Amino acid sequence: MEYPPNRYYGNGPCTYYVRSEEDSYEEVACTDWDFDNSTFTRTLTSEQVLVCDREHYRALYMSLYMIGVLVASPTIGYLADRFGRKTMFNLGTAGFIVLSLISGWLPNIPAVLACRFLIGILHVPVVKISYILGMESCTPEIRPNAGILLYLPWTLYVIVFSGIAYLIRDWRWMITAASLPGLLLIPGLWFLDESPHWLAVRGRYKEALQVLKRAARWNKSSFPSDEEVILILKGTTVSAPKVKLEDAREPWPTLLKRKVSDLFILYRTPRLRLISLVMHLNFFFIDMTYYGLSYSGGNFKIHIFSYLALMGVMELPCRILIYPVLSRFGRKIPLIVSLMTTGLVLLCVTAVPKDMTWLMMTFALFGRFCISTSSAVLYLFGSELFPTEVRTRGIGYSFTMSRVGSSLAPFITEYLGYMYHWGPSVVFGAGVIIAGLASTTIWDTSNIALPDTIAFLESTDPRGRSHGKSDIEGNGNYLSNTSSNVVKPEEEMQLKP
């Protein structure tokens, strides 16, 4: 009798055949597995037996982190606008470090997945709010440099982590080793200042003054008188409205309606709505492609540690060399060019024969370089487009869309890539081309003041909101982000929806 073939689920056999007394074969489900330990001595897959009917946990493990970021982004953005950037960053950092250390020693897959989800939630204040805090503390002429350098440690650590993973082949100890450096951040939290932009918008002028004075002292620069600075701050920002007693006593249906209306503040006015929609689209496709390429290492016949190191190496040039490009060409043109190039490169992969792994790998690495460039420009671009009073909400909602994309990435590579090897390249390539075309509708933000209010954004021409020489030199360098944001109170009232 001919031996029947095994039935396959996913990437491996989940059943075997036993010969019965009637000289026939009975299909029996596997109850024990042998795992290849030549690369890693212990993995989450081998320890928790994430194969066959539990195989979906592998993709879920990668996606839950992104889903946590997706869920938290709008809420954390609102809380950072309400209670401050520093407060949310400090709380998020402490929780992120603790949970990261714990996650490597949890006993079962439900606990690991739950912890993974919570760490994703805390990713938002640690990574995104800290970026906004840094951008709001910079003057226009150094924002591109600071914006790029803030993410340079991430690129360097990708390369370092490939070495850590090579030396430590146990997943539990690997997570612990990767998380321990986070403890070095805790002492620095005591010395962190709040964003002077946020303080001014909230009407806390004296606290903003103290932050600016410390910056002047550390940089050994002259500083105007306290009265002059406070006068400038009061005249160049419209502080957030304070809650009145009658507001606190308003009927709950009215209060609920107002709170729900606040959720759609990004879509009420024309320019802010355009910014929001374009940023949402860009964050969605860029992060989906970025993480999709990261998860595609198993599709190439290359050592996994070498692939991870090469991914980091391909990011280094764009992180280091992008600054002069941004200074020369602004934000819009580099973003569009890098997105369109990424799309064309990934679509070219579909024409490469499956057995020409080296050529596919070359296209994938160049695509990683281009999409990393897009990501570096986008984070800076987005933080400059949204006004201060809704900046963390705007970026937060955009990060929500980015995590929708990054959550889909492992399923695209695992399942679509298994059925059609060219499928992920088509999805990722077409997506970033769409994002590039959408980016042509917005304006450049190089060398212009950060808008503090929605009213200022809607009432002034963004292309004409540039800094003169006097805004960048001398005493004005600490106020140059706000010095042109002059909005009259009556204009503010007219522009409120």
Side-chain angles (χ1 to χ4, degrees):
M1 177 179 289
E2 183 180 355
Y3 189 86
N6 282 345
R7 187 174 68 195
Y8 285 86
Y9 295 98
N11 295 318
C14 295
T15 60
Y16 65 98
Y17 291 87
V18 177
R19 189 170 184 175
S20 65
E21 296 179 356
E22 292 79 13
D23 200 26
S24 61
Y25 290 92
E26 180 182 357
E27 188 177 18
V28 180
C30 295
T31 57
D32 195 15
W33 291 265
D34 288 327
F35 292 93
D36 181 3
N37 295 321
S38 60
T39 302
F40 295 100
T41 58
R42 180 172 57 167
T43 66
L44 183 63
T45 297
S46 63
E47 184 180 290
Q48 300 294 328
V49 195
L50 305 183
V51 295
C52 297
D53 59 338
R54 291 166 60 87
E55 184 181 11
H56 63 281
Y57 284 120
R58 298 209 304 263
L60 189 59
Y61 176 82
M62 292 186 286
S63 291
L64 269 178
Y65 186 97
M66 305 304 177
I67 294 173
V69 180
L70 184 156
V71 171
S73 292
T75 305
I76 298 297
Y78 171 80
L79 293 175
D81 283 336
R82 177 68 179 84
F83 298 106
R85 283 61 159 137
K86 177 183 175 181
T87 301
M88 297 309 301
F89 174 71
N90 287 355
L91 292 174
T93 299
F96 189 94
I97 294 170
V98 171
L99 287 178
S100 296
L101 291 170
I102 292 174
S103 66
W105 301 100
L106 295 173
N108 51 58
I109 190 64
V112 171
L113 294 178
C115 191
R116 182 82 168 168
F117 175 74
L118 293 175
I119 293 174
I121 290 176
L122 296 175
H123 171 102
V124 180
V126 172
V127 179
K128 312 308 180 184
I129 302 302
S130 63
Y131 186 86
I132 292 173
L133 178 58
M135 289 295 94
E136 290 181 349
S137 301
C138 294
T139 52
E141 72 276 11
I142 67 170
R143 277 205 310 264
N145 196 16
I148 300 304
L149 290 179
L150 281 173
Y151 277 106
L152 183 60
W154 158 265
T155 303
L156 295 175
Y157 199 67
V158 168
I159 301 172
V160 172
F161 185 72
S162 65
I164 295 175
Y166 178 79
L167 296 173
I168 305 175
R169 305 297 183 92
D170 186 300
W171 78 276
R172 293 188 180 274
W173 287 106
M174 189 188 304
I175 289 179
T176 303
S179 303
L180 282 173
L183 295 174
L184 300 175
L185 287 173
I186 293 179
L189 300 180
W190 297 100
F191 304 99
L192 190 67
D193 282 320
E194 182 56 270
S195 164
H197 261 280
W198 181 83
L199 290 171
V201 168
R202 302 301 297 182
R204 295 160 61 173
Y205 303 114
K206 291 184 178 180
E207 294 176 63
L209 173 65
Q210 295 305 315
V211 173
L212 295 172
K213 289 176 71 173
R214 275 193 294 273
R217 184 170 63 253
W218 291 344
N219 289 283
K220 299 179 181 179
S221 299
S222 58
F223 198 75
S225 66
D226 294 0
E227 294 78 10
E228 182 180 351
V229 174
I230 291 179
L231 184 63
I232 293 173
L233 290 174
K234 288 182 177 180
T236 59
T237 60
V238 178
S239 61
K242 294 180 173 57
V243 178
K244 299 179 182 179
L245 183 60
E246 54 268 24
D247 293 335
R249 294 176 178 174
E250 63 183 332
W252 69 265
T254 305
L255 178 63
L256 179 62
K257 182 179 179 180
R258 182 162 57 82
K259 293 298 183 182
V260 172
S261 179
D262 285 344
L263 295 176
F264 300 96
I265 192 172
L266 297 177
Y267 312 103
R268 288 192 208 158
T269 55
R271 286 179 183 161
L272 185 56
R273 181 166 54 246
L274 176 63
I275 292 171
S276 300
L277 293 176
V278 173
M279 287 296 105
H280 295 349
L281 194 66
N282 270 272
F283 273 87
F284 175 83
F285 283 117
I286 287 178
D287 268 43
M288 184 176 70
T289 304
Y290 181 92
Y291 286 99
L293 290 174
S294 299
Y295 296 147
S296 298
N299 298 333
F300 304 107
K301 296 177 181 179
I302 184 174
H303 203 273
I304 187 171
F305 307 112
S306 301
Y307 181 79
L308 181 60
L310 285 172
M311 290 289 102
V313 168
M314 293 308 296
E315 285 194 38
L316 273 179
C318 73
R319 298 291 181 184
I320 297 174
L321 303 178
I322 193 65
Y323 174 65
V325 175
L326 294 177
S327 299
R328 175 65 179 83
F329 299 103
R331 283 56 154 161
K332 180 178 177 179
I333 293 176
L335 177 63
I336 295 173
V337 170
S338 60
L339 284 171
M340 301 302 285
T341 305
T342 303
L344 293 175
V345 167
L346 293 178
L347 291 178
C348 287
V349 174
T350 62
V352 178
K354 193 175 181 180
D355 56 342
M356 297 184 66
T357 307
W358 66 271
L359 186 56
M360 294 178 65
M361 185 68 182
T362 301
F363 278 124
L365 289 175
F366 185 62
R368 173 67 175 225
F369 168 79
C370 294
I371 200 65
S372 297
T373 302
S374 302
S375 178
V377 177
L378 182 66
Y379 280 73
L380 174 64
F381 201 10
S383 66
E384 292 179 338
L385 283 167
F386 287 105
T388 301
E389 64 176 318
V390 293
R391 182 167 294 121
T392 50
R393 265 178 284 183
I395 295 295
Y397 286 13
S398 298
F399 289 152
T400 298
M401 296 305 300
S402 78
R403 296 317 161 187
V404 173
S406 54
S407 298
L408 293 174
F411 293 97
I412 293 172
T413 56
E414 286 274 335
Y415 296 104
L416 182 61
Y418 176 72
M419 294 185 291
Y420 309 102
H421 76 277
W422 45 264
S425 297
V426 171
V427 174
F428 299 148
V432 292
I433 288 177
I434 293 172
L437 294 174
S439 300
T440 60
T441 62
I442 52 178
W443 52 91
D444 197 15
T445 58
S446 57
N447 296 319
I448 68 173
L450 292 178
D452 276 333
T453 64
I454 299 174
F456 178 74
L457 174 69
E458 299 293 339
S459 63
T460 59
D461 182 4
R463 298 166 182 82
R465 196 193 324 138
S466 59
H467 281 289
K469 187 176 182 180
S470 60
D471 293 316
I472 302 175
E473 295 180 350
N475 297 334
N477 62 345
Y478 296 106
L479 304 172
S480 57
N481 280 336
T482 58
S483 59
S484 63
N485 289 5
V486 180
V487 183
K488 296 179 181 180
E490 57 271 20
E491 293 175 351
E492 172 74 12
M493 294 302 295
Q494 292 173 2
L495 287 162
K496 283 185 177 179

